[in-house]
Amino acid sequence: MEGELYVRLGYTMDALYRSITRHLAYSLGVVPTQASKRDIYLALSYSVRDRLLEKMLKTNQRYEDSGAKRLYYLSMEFLIGRSLANNLRAMKIYDQVAEALELLGTDVETICDQERDAALGNGGLGRLAACFLDSMASLDMPGFGYGLHYDYGLFEQDISNGYQREKPDSWISEAPALQVERADAACIVPMYGRIEETKDKWGRHNPLWLGWNLVTGVPYDIPIAGYGGLTVNRLRLFAARPSTEFDIKIFNEGDYLRAVEQKIESEKISKILYPKDSYEAGRELRLIQEYFLVACSLNDIVRTYEKDYSDYNKFPEKVAIQLNDTHPALAVAELMRILVDQKWVPWERAWDITNRTIAYTNHTLLPEALEKWPESLLARLLPRHLQFIYDINQQFLDRVVTLWPGDVDRMRNMSIVEEGPPRQVRMANLAIVGAHSVNGVSALHTDLIKKSLAPNFFEMWPERFNNKTNGITPRRWLCVANPNLHDLIEDAIGPGFVTDLERLRELEPFAEDPVFCEKFLQVKHGNKERLKDVIFNTTVVEVDPASLFDVQVKRIHEYKRQLMNVLGIIWEYLALTEDGVEPANPKTFIFAGKAAPGYWAAKQLIKLIHNVGNTIEDDPKARDFLKVAFAPNFRVTLAEQIIPAADISQQISTAGFEASGTGNMKFALNGALTIGTMDGANIEISQKVGRENIYICGLTAYEIEKMKRAGSYKPKAMYDKHPMIKRVVDSLASDRFCPRESGLFAWLKDYLLADNEMFFHLADLESYVKTRELSTKEYVDKTLWAKKAILNVARVGHFSSDRTIRQYADEIWDLVPIPPTEAEKSGKLK
Ligand code: GPV
């Protein structure tokens, strides 16, 4: 094919119009004049897909021609959200499409609004992966995502009487317009079976893995457009299908029912995304999923490499693999198995190649999120991999013994296999030993990895540990989510900042410009009007855009302390209704977020938020000043509507628990002021935007850690001493917020007053409430507020995921951009 494409696709309004109508007729079978909005959405998506695939093929050719190194990002989650508007912006055809759609009697917003989210992720970790894909493509880097093609993404959240109800999210009907099936690149994955210890012809130990089951991995490619539309990378998602070879064997044996059962079993593997965020259930199917991702990806990576190279010496120079947390950590064992068992590379050499290829990102310190798998399960599912893990561990511990002879505690602590019962494999230890780079996702988090999570490993390999503070893509989180703010900034400082976000600094002088400030506040107000409608349509709560929008949206988790926010609201409510203290400005508290289906405390919090909101709404003394809205079914698309409308962004995790946070960055970029603890990336954000432009409260990670160790946190004493804390906590124990469900929230009093309360709610409460009061007061001064908000926007450019990806590329991957050729830029075919 030599990079030639047979049909030349047009990008003018005319060409796009023709393409849409052609797809209406020939992909969907409908007459254009009778097309529904959904038909038009699909036809437009197919038209966009055609053009993305054209550029993707060219991009791939360019990468092949250059012989450049490639990066593969292995992740169990890619939280993409909608694609259409993002792709139209990236390809710079938004306006042409808008015109073409007018000819069809509709408009581009309405059509883009037809799309469902691809919710193949839970939260921060999955959305980070999606932002990274966007940045790699926008930086012309050969970086590719590998993930699973789940039939069901993260559940949909309904609210009924204040309680969360989960509904399955079948996004698959949407998928064909986004992806192409690549049956030609399918692979076969073995699992289960046994080891037979044999000798090879030289009499050497030669274990054989036999009697496995086979599953087929079918790849689906989703094109990922870089900004400008010339570089288009791919996200490759694998779906599990029954292996035909295996079926035929059983069918031939005449066991029809068993063969069909087997088929169903195989397809289970990619059926559903596990809905837990920073938490592991230890379920067998989850381990199978993780292995399936690893096996399919490595098969693909090795096959691609083998197109150009006949031995493995150059592998680490041509391939980099990044593990998104430990979920794909089996890649260490699988790459060893491929090299040693299939390619006959000597063990030591294979280990060197593996280590130089793989890098690992840690995303949490939460003990319950550190993956461990029972040795017995691994022995059954992956007997050969377990042998490699033993060998790796043996070799590793031998080195520990030479370095620290007789230090048994250290050995026990560092071992990949944890002593039982039950004996378990620690995936973080496997990843740290197997990778040449271990990184955290904010400065504080990386520091804590070195000092508390893995101090022994840090001592052994200090050069292996490094920080890569997270970032977000300004394309989605500014251009797509907040086009009016984007345009306002562009009018002020000119184009180009979208791919060079530090240039937002040029906005700083405009913070003093009354005309600019006024326009800035108008944009914010417009976004608040838009959100008002969204909230009204989904909750029937009517919010007032003139009130302060105080927003906390993220997964519901104890460590994120939505409860502390509620305590703050109750505090203000009691002050207002019992002490006559009005807030300086009317306030609307906006919450959104999902709770893992099995997480009882988190689900109770959702109910509490609703009930507190209802109590306030029923109280004539309160309802004109305070309002609470819980927007259901939080997802990327809802975040795009909420974040641009926020005045305050709440980032109040217990210090030391939030590895980074990325919502904090999205809000600041959209001109919200942060109320936050000194946790995760909040610390770096405060350094960048300036301490006077952010509201910091609460204890530091160091102070929390010290109190924990000393056992000196005594919440009951704080309750006894501080009358307002007592009133707030007692109000929960009373039926004030559950008049028709007596005793519902009584547990919260015991919870908050327990000495072992893990998240230090009451320790931070007073500082937090004072900080909230200050922020409300300052909100009244519009000039001051606009100035602070604009300075946030101007100084937050550091948190572009383009910066993060450049650091990964330079410091871990050794990856260079492969920019479009002159011919590609001028639109010629070759
Ligand atoms: I591990 N994170 C997540 O969303 N899911 C997980 O399973 C794990 C971590 C999050 C962290 O909680 C955030 O602090 C962080 O910003 C995000 O990963 C991206 O690094």
Side-chain angles (χ1 to χ4, degrees):
M1 191 185 75
E2 308 253 75
E4 289 290 349
L5 298 172
Y6 300 107
V7 182
R8 197 157 179 171
L9 299 171
Y11 292 80
T12 60
M13 191 275 277
D14 256 18
L16 289 160
Y17 177 84
R18 282 198 308 274
S19 177
I20 296 167
T21 50
R22 190 181 302 132
H23 275 296
L24 279 171
Y26 303 132
S27 300
L28 301 165
V30 298
V31 181
T33 50
Q34 287 162 21
S36 68
K37 288 178 203 158
R38 171 145 180 101
D39 294 331
I40 296 175
Y41 155 68
L42 284 172
L44 172 56
S45 292
Y46 281 119
S47 305
V48 170
R49 196 188 74 161
D50 292 342
R51 283 154 184 80
L52 288 170
L53 290 174
E54 174 185 54
K55 302 296 188 202
M56 190 174 90
L57 292 169
K58 285 185 187 167
T59 302
N60 210 43
Q61 188 65 52
R62 186 202 321 152
Y63 292 159
E64 271 177 30
D65 293 347
S66 74
K69 185 171 185 176
R70 296 172 191 237
L71 173 277
Y72 301 100
Y73 198 80
L74 270 56
S75 178
M76 289 290 282
E77 306 190 9
F78 287 92
L79 222 190
I80 294 177
R82 287 176 177 168
S83 292
L84 185 53
N86 194 66
N87 287 336
L88 296 179
R89 298 272 182 201
M91 299 169 88
K92 307 265 168 88
I93 53 172
Y94 193 89
D95 295 339
Q96 294 88 310
V97 165
E99 266 188 74
L101 291 177
E102 258 169 56
L103 292 182
L104 285 160
T106 182
D107 64 278
V108 62
E109 281 104 20
T110 308
I111 295 308
C112 288
D113 209 33
Q114 302 299 306
E115 184 173 1
R116 295 172 56 100
D117 279 37
L120 310 183
N122 276 286
L125 171 136
R127 183 55 232 176
L128 184 75
C131 284
F132 281 3
L133 295 181
D134 181 283
S135 283
M136 290 189 291
S138 294
L139 292 167
D140 301 315
M141 287 185 187
F144 306 90
Y146 276 119
L148 291 185
H149 192 277
Y150 303 108
D151 293 358
Y152 294 92
L154 185 60
F155 65 86
E156 275 182 43
Q157 178 193 56
D158 272 353
I159 301 294
S160 146
N161 183 32
Y163 288 103
Q164 167 174 299
R165 297 271 175 272
E166 300 93 23
K167 281 196 327 199
D169 162 64
S170 171
W171 76 294
I172 224 83
S173 58
E174 199 80 3
L178 300 175
Q179 68 190 18
V180 277
E181 183 179 335
R182 296 298 305 274
D184 56 307
C187 64
I188 291 172
V189 177
M191 49 185 80
Y192 298 105
R194 61 177 199 282
I195 300 294
E196 206 162 288
E197 298 292 347
T198 64
K199 300 236 183 290
D200 67 13
K201 61 180 174 186
W202 297 282
R204 288 180 312 201
H205 174 64
N206 183 34
L208 295 180
W209 181 15
L210 302 169
W212 15 254
N213 290 359
L214 291 179
V215 180
T216 303
V218 178
Y220 290 82
D221 286 348
I222 297 184
I224 304 292
Y227 196 66
L230 288 178
T231 292
V232 177
N233 289 339
R234 64 171 129 235
L235 165 60
R236 184 160 275 192
L237 301 177
F238 292 96
R241 303 277 178 257
S243 141
T244 37
E245 292 166 43
F246 188 72
D247 287 353
I248 289 167
K249 211 175 113 223
I250 314 185
F251 276 118
N252 289 345
E253 286 164 8
D255 197 343
Y256 173 75
L257 282 181
R258 193 158 74 86
V260 175
E261 274 165 22
Q262 185 74 50
K263 235 180 168 53
I264 296 167
E265 279 300 304
S266 311
E267 288 185 344
K268 260 198 203 165
I269 295 173
S270 56
K271 203 40 97 187
I272 183 166
L273 165 77
Y274 275 85
K276 293 206 163 153
D277 174 270
S278 312
Y279 178 75
E280 275 314 313
R283 298 265 274 272
E284 180 161 345
L285 184 57
R286 168 72 179 195
L287 179 63
I288 296 175
Q289 287 187 334
E290 294 180 353
Y291 166 62
F292 180 72
L293 166 65
V294 161
C296 293
S297 308
L298 281 178
N299 182 285
D300 215 57
I301 292 167
V302 167
R303 207 158 33 91
T304 306
Y305 175 82
E306 285 182 346
K307 281 190 205 155
D308 296 316
Y309 304 94
S310 52
D311 68 49
Y312 285 85
N313 294 325
K314 283 219 163 67
F315 199 75
E317 281 137 61
K318 295 295 166 186
V319 174
I321 294 174
Q322 190 70 35
L323 307 180
N324 200 19
D325 215 86
T326 57
H327 316 147
L330 282 171
V332 173
E334 173 69 354
L335 184 52
M336 283 299 286
R337 189 187 69 86
I338 293 173
L339 292 173
V340 173
D341 284 2
Q342 296 178 350
K343 312 296 176 188
W344 301 100
V345 178
W347 204 99
E348 289 295 335
R349 178 99 198 99
W351 181 244
D352 178 62
I353 292 170
T354 298
N355 188 256
R356 289 195 303 148
T357 302
I358 292 178
Y360 156 56
T361 305
N362 172 285
H363 293 267
T364 188
L365 306 170
L366 290 182
E368 73 268 28
L370 297 177
E371 284 188 293
K372 289 176 191 174
W373 293 103
E375 186 186 65
S376 55
L377 173 54
L378 281 162
R380 210 156 38 82
L381 179 67
L382 300 168
R384 186 64 186 128
H385 294 77
L386 185 58
Q387 289 187 326
F388 275 99
I389 291 171
Y390 288 146
D391 291 347
I392 292 165
N393 199 33
Q394 189 57 56
Q395 206 223 216
F396 163 65
L397 291 178
D398 287 349
R399 285 199 52 199
V400 175
V401 171
T402 356
L403 291 168
W404 292 278
D407 194 340
V408 183
D409 280 348
R410 186 182 297 261
M411 284 243 294
R412 185 172 303 130
N413 184 281
M414 296 178 88
S415 173
I416 297 171
V417 183
E418 182 178 272
E419 289 306 316
R423 283 163 60 93
Q424 309 210 84
V425 174
R426 299 160 166 159
M427 303 309 266
N429 296 35
L430 176 61
I432 296 171
V433 173
H436 68 279
S437 162
V438 178
N439 77 279
V441 290
S442 74
L444 173 69
H445 171 61
T446 299
D447 211 50
L448 293 172
I449 291 177
K450 294 178 185 175
K451 293 191 178 125
S452 16
L453 183 75
N456 293 337
F457 289 100
F458 178 56
E459 211 181 325
M460 185 163 175
W461 294 308
E463 68 298 333
R464 195 170 286 199
F465 290 79
N466 65 93
N467 176 243
K468 295 289 168 282
T469 298
N470 284 165
I472 57 167
T473 171
R475 272 73 66 184
R476 180 173 297 261
W477 297 109
L478 187 60
C479 304
V480 173
N482 201 345
N484 292 336
L485 180 58
H486 167 272
D487 293 351
L488 178 66
I489 297 171
E490 193 172 75
D491 285 347
I493 67 172
F497 60 92
V498 167
T499 49
D500 183 7
L501 207 62
E502 292 275 11
R503 269 203 52 213
L504 285 175
R505 288 256 172 213
E506 293 165 30
L507 265 186
E508 278 196 28
F510 291 89
E512 309 282 350
D513 173 348
V515 179
F516 185 86
C517 287
E518 185 49 41
K519 287 187 189 158
F520 180 88
L521 293 174
Q522 274 170 17
V523 168
K524 181 64 80 182
H525 191 85
N527 292 336
K528 290 168 82 171
E529 291 280 358
R530 181 178 73 157
L531 180 59
K532 172 198 163 94
D533 294 339
V534 172
I535 291 177
F536 185 72
N537 292 332
T538 49
T539 65
V540 203
V541 175
E542 248 192 294
V543 302
D544 176 6
S547 65
L548 187 168
F549 279 14
D550 184 316
V551 181
Q552 187 176 22
V553 293
K554 49 181 80 248
R555 280 303 278 256
I556 314 290
H557 217 299
E558 287 160 279
Y559 84 79
K560 294 177 188 281
R561 295 200 293 195
Q562 280 92 357
L563 175 57
M564 193 166 77
N565 190 349
V566 176
L567 297 177
I569 296 171
I570 294 174
W571 186 308
E572 292 185 48
Y573 169 65
L574 296 179
L576 171 64
T577 55
E578 295 178 355
D579 308 338
V581 185
E582 292 178 8
N585 199 85
K587 294 169 83 168
T588 302
F589 296 95
I590 297 168
F591 290 87
K594 292 174 182 175
Y599 191 170
W600 181 84
K603 295 178 112 174
Q604 284 286 305
L605 280 180
I606 294 177
K607 174 66 174 164
L608 176 67
I609 293 165
H610 280 93
N611 279 26
V612 169
N614 290 339
T615 303
I616 292 174
E617 195 59 25
D618 289 345
D619 189 334
K621 282 207 297 251
R623 62 170 159 248
D624 293 337
F625 297 94
L626 302 174
K627 197 171 287 279
V628 178
F630 187 100
N633 200 27
F634 188 54
R635 60 197 187 285
V636 172
T637 295
L638 190 52
E640 289 168 11
Q641 293 160 339
I642 292 177
I643 292 169
D647 297 309
I648 287 279
S649 151
Q650 298 238 21
Q651 309 297 339
I652 53 175
S653 51
T654 316
F657 281 85
E658 189 71 274
S660 160
T662 44
N664 46 8
M665 302 164 187
K666 294 165 197 169
F667 279 99
L669 179 60
N670 283 277
L673 302 197
T674 305
I675 293 183
T677 48
M678 286 298 251
D679 198 14
N682 294 354
I683 298 172
E684 289 153 87
I685 292 174
S686 84
Q687 289 162 354
K688 290 290 177 186
V689 303
R691 194 59 187 72
E692 63 291 357
N693 301 308
I694 186 168
Y695 300 103
I696 296 290
C697 61
L699 299 168
T700 62
Y702 174 75
E703 288 163 337
I704 299 250
E705 188 50 39
K706 212 170 83 182
M707 287 173 79
K708 250 189 206 157
R709 251 194 307 241
S712 59
Y713 178 45
K714 297 280 178 238
K716 177 69 167 47
M718 309 188 83
Y719 163 94
D720 286 331
K721 201 178 108 206
H722 199 306
M724 200 61 191
I725 293 184
K726 182 169 188 324
R727 283 164 68 191
V728 170
V729 172
D730 285 343
S731 78
L732 287 172
S734 79
D735 287 342
R736 182 158 196 157
F737 301 110
C738 49
R740 282 177 296 275
E741 298 141 299
S742 179
L744 187 62
F745 302 122
W747 67 277
L748 280 166
K749 179 172 176 179
D750 303 327
Y751 172 95
L752 287 167
L753 297 187
D755 283 346
N756 60 359
E757 197 271 283
M758 290 267 297
F759 305 104
F760 286 69
H761 285 87
L762 297 190
D764 280 352
L765 184 58
E766 197 181 357
S767 153
Y768 171 59
V769 169
K770 285 205 175 120
T771 309
R772 282 163 61 123
E773 265 168 32
L774 174 65
S775 73
T776 316
K777 229 174 261 151
E778 295 197 334
Y779 182 74
V780 178
D781 181 347
K782 293 292 172 230
T783 324
L784 176 71
W785 192 267
K787 179 181 164 186
K788 290 186 176 204
I790 292 164
L791 287 177
N792 267 264
V793 179
R795 296 173 177 177
V796 82
H798 177 71
F799 300 96
S800 167
S801 47
D802 296 346
R803 185 268 311 152
T804 313
I805 284 297
R806 279 202 192 91
Q807 292 178 332
Y808 275 92
D810 292 346
E811 298 163 23
I812 301 178
W813 303 333
D814 194 21
L815 194 71
V816 294
I818 309 294
T821 61
E822 287 310 315
E824 281 176 82
K825 281 193 222 158
S826 67
K828 296 217 187 71
L829 282 178
K830 179 80 180 166

